[in-house]
Amino acid sequence: MEIVILAVVIAVVVLGALGGLIVGSRRKKQLPPPPPAAPDITAPPAEPHVGDEAETPREEPRRTIEEVDLPDGSAPVAVEEPPAEAPEIEIPEPTAGRLVRLRARLSRSQNALGQGLLTLLSREHLDEDTWEEIEDTLLTADVGVQPTQELVERLRERVKVLGTRTPEELRTLLREELLTLVGRDMDRAVKTEPEDRKPGIVMVVGVNGTGKTTTTGKLARVLVADGQSVVLGAADTFRAAAADQLQTWGERVGAHTVRGPEGGDPASVAFDAVKEGKEMGANVVLIDTAGRLHTKTGLMDELGKVKRVVEKHAPVDEVLLVLDATTGQNGLVQARVFAEVVDITGIVLTKLDGTAKGGIVVAVQRELGVPVKLVGLGEGADDLAPFEPEAFVDALIGE
Ligand SMILES: Nc1nc2c(ncn2[C@@H]2O[C@H](COP(=O)(O)OP(=O)(O)O)[C@@H](O)[C@H]2O)c(=O)[nH]1
Ligand SMILES: [Mg+2]
């Protein structure tokens, strides 16, 4: 019995050792046996044999296919794969003189307002009916009642002492009076660079559909074109699409977008955006907000809270109210509501390209006592222009 067990143990040990040798020899066999003489390199590789390693262990780093010389001997081609997260960055157009470049977009206001007034003023007899027509023209272009009366009064006075009325004289006169109405001396710079700290903080507010997100995106481009680094805060958390839309704008110019969960707290997204802007050493943080106007109280609470929470970091430098120029009087009502909620520091008038009501510039400034700082003149990425009264009035009355 003991002998049998011993014999079995010996047998197992011997077999194990043999097995180990076999395995060991398999491991050591790394290369197939060298081919006889003058190997034919065009021949297909030798078939693997049973017991061959599935893959020859590599000492050298794996080479990509691009580094291998092509059969026809052409040089290796370096194919750069763009990283998925970094799309090509666009270089926005410079901002100086944009309004002049985009003046043709104001053609509807030019025809209705500028040319309309010049034609009326050129009439041989400036009777009461004509003055009434002039007044109507201004009102139709949304200049507003008070500013219209002021302008008509000034024009009547000046035309009286003019005697002859050459087209050139009338143009000069109208230009001067419209400029006075639009306001030459207001500070229209968008405050993005406070002297004592970084980043500057800008909030963009307004009713949905007026062009807030588009304007925020375009403004980011303006700032980037001017050499500033920008962080975007997607504080419109009601639809994920809104944050996507903003992020897309940001990616095009290399601006980082801070966003939160859909339906999340807008104030905390805004807070985080400023926090990240600080950490990144950004020059400016632009905060896009939601603008539901169903319940004034809800809006009040929400916007007010966003501003208060952001101001735990630093004061907000600029609150831009975005108004759709095509909505006329409705826009003025919106302006009033928003002004009650937050201190508006600047107005952005969008969609001036699609309207004959360029006079809204005058009316809304009067309404809020705040300057129009930017105007939207199209859906294109660079269709946002700093508002320049002279270029604007020149565009209205034509060359
Ligand atoms: N024609 C024209 N369309 C504009 C302008 N600004 C914005 N829009 C369009 O208005 C629509 C609403 O804009 P969006 O930024 O989403 O508005 P939001 O809801 O206030 O964020 C979009 O189709 C924009 O392309 C502008 O200056 N001119
Ligand atoms: Mg939006």
Side-chain angles (χ1 to χ4, degrees):
M1 190 61 182
E2 280 171 14
I3 292 170
V4 173
I5 293 174
L6 191 64
V8 170
V9 168
I10 288 169
V12 167
V13 168
V14 169
L15 280 173
L18 281 173
L21 277 178
I22 291 164
V23 171
S25 76
R26 270 189 203 158
R27 290 228 172 101
K28 275 178 209 142
K29 191 163 72 182
Q30 293 179 348
L31 295 166
D40 178 5
I41 54 163
T42 59
E47 294 248 324
H49 301 286
V50 176
D52 280 347
E53 292 284 352
E55 200 180 354
T56 309
R58 296 162 190 272
E59 298 292 274
E60 48 183 359
R62 202 176 269 268
R63 292 185 305 164
T64 62
I65 198 160
E66 289 85 26
E67 292 169 69
V68 178
D69 277 335
L70 298 174
D72 65 358
S74 66
V77 184
V79 176
E80 286 230 338
E81 234 183 82
E85 282 302 296
E88 204 172 305
I89 307 267
E90 295 174 17
I91 312 292
E93 261 182 45
T95 55
R98 271 197 193 179
L99 192 50
V100 173
R101 275 204 301 282
L102 296 169
R103 64 192 294 163
R105 306 272 174 92
L106 288 165
S107 60
R108 291 190 65 187
S109 287
Q110 182 186 106
N111 291 333
L113 184 58
Q115 296 303 319
L117 289 177
L118 279 176
T119 309
L120 287 168
L121 286 170
S122 311
R123 280 195 190 161
E124 207 165 324
H125 298 290
L126 284 174
D127 51 18
E128 278 312 305
D129 284 351
T130 306
W131 284 112
E132 227 163 79
E133 276 182 67
I134 290 173
E135 216 172 276
D136 288 347
T137 301
L138 289 163
L139 291 173
T140 308
D142 273 349
V143 171
V145 177
Q146 184 66 30
T148 293
Q149 281 168 1
E150 285 173 25
L151 182 65
V152 169
E153 210 166 292
R154 297 273 308 144
L155 288 174
R156 287 181 85 139
E157 259 171 46
R158 291 192 64 180
V159 165
K160 222 187 293 175
V161 297
L162 210 56
T164 56
R165 277 176 285 130
T166 67
E168 227 17 76
E169 280 171 325
L170 284 177
R171 182 184 298 274
T172 307
L173 191 151
L174 186 62
R175 184 177 188 275
E176 279 172 16
E177 292 305 327
L178 282 174
L179 257 177
T180 304
L181 213 58
V182 169
R184 302 168 208 249
D185 307 323
M186 298 172 118
D187 181 4
R188 300 180 191 270
V190 179
K191 303 279 181 299
T192 56
E193 286 182 288
E195 276 167 23
D196 49 333
R197 63 185 157 79
K198 261 185 7 178
I201 306 171
V202 179
M203 268 177 75
V204 180
V205 306
V207 169
N208 273 351
T210 52
K212 285 183 302 299
T213 305
T214 308
T215 297
T216 309
K218 288 173 177 175
L219 182 56
R221 296 174 67 87
V222 169
L223 295 168
V224 168
D226 291 346
Q228 306 207 39
S229 57
V230 177
V231 167
L232 300 173
D236 179 353
T237 58
F238 293 93
R239 296 168 302 125
D244 291 343
Q245 187 192 354
L246 187 66
Q247 190 167 353
T248 303
W249 278 99
E251 280 168 358
R252 290 171 67 178
V253 287
H256 172 59
T257 302
V258 176
R259 46 192 297 178
E262 189 172 357
D265 179 20
S268 75
V269 174
F271 182 86
D272 288 348
V274 178
K275 183 164 154 272
E276 287 193 36
K278 268 185 184 170
E279 287 164 3
M280 293 171 68
N283 297 109
V284 191
V285 176
L286 302 179
I287 300 166
D288 182 28
T289 62
R292 300 154 311 146
L293 203 62
H294 331 304
T295 58
K296 196 173 133 188
T297 352
L299 180 81
M300 283 249 203
D301 291 351
E302 189 181 285
L303 263 191
K305 185 178 163 201
V306 170
K307 186 154 183 274
R308 277 195 311 281
V309 168
V310 164
E311 289 188 329
K312 288 180 180 172
H313 288 293
V316 172
D317 298 286
E318 188 84 70
V319 180
L320 294 175
L321 173 66
V322 179
L323 293 176
D324 177 341
T326 64
T327 58
Q329 291 304 308
N330 200 359
L332 295 185
V333 175
Q334 293 167 17
R336 243 171 263 146
V337 173
F338 276 91
E340 279 173 29
V341 183
V342 277
D343 288 329
I344 309 293
T345 57
I347 299 158
V348 182
L349 266 183
T350 58
K351 312 189 193 182
L352 268 176
D353 51 310
T355 180
K357 297 175 179 295
I360 191 77
V361 170
V362 174
V364 74
Q365 287 185 154
R366 284 288 177 100
E367 182 67 42
L368 296 184
V370 166
V372 171
K373 294 190 169 179
L374 299 165
V375 285
L377 291 159
E379 294 191 87
D382 292 324
D383 293 345
L384 182 76
F387 183 74
E388 299 158 30
E390 308 225 343
F392 179 71
V393 169
D394 284 343
L396 286 190
I397 58 179
E399 291 297 340

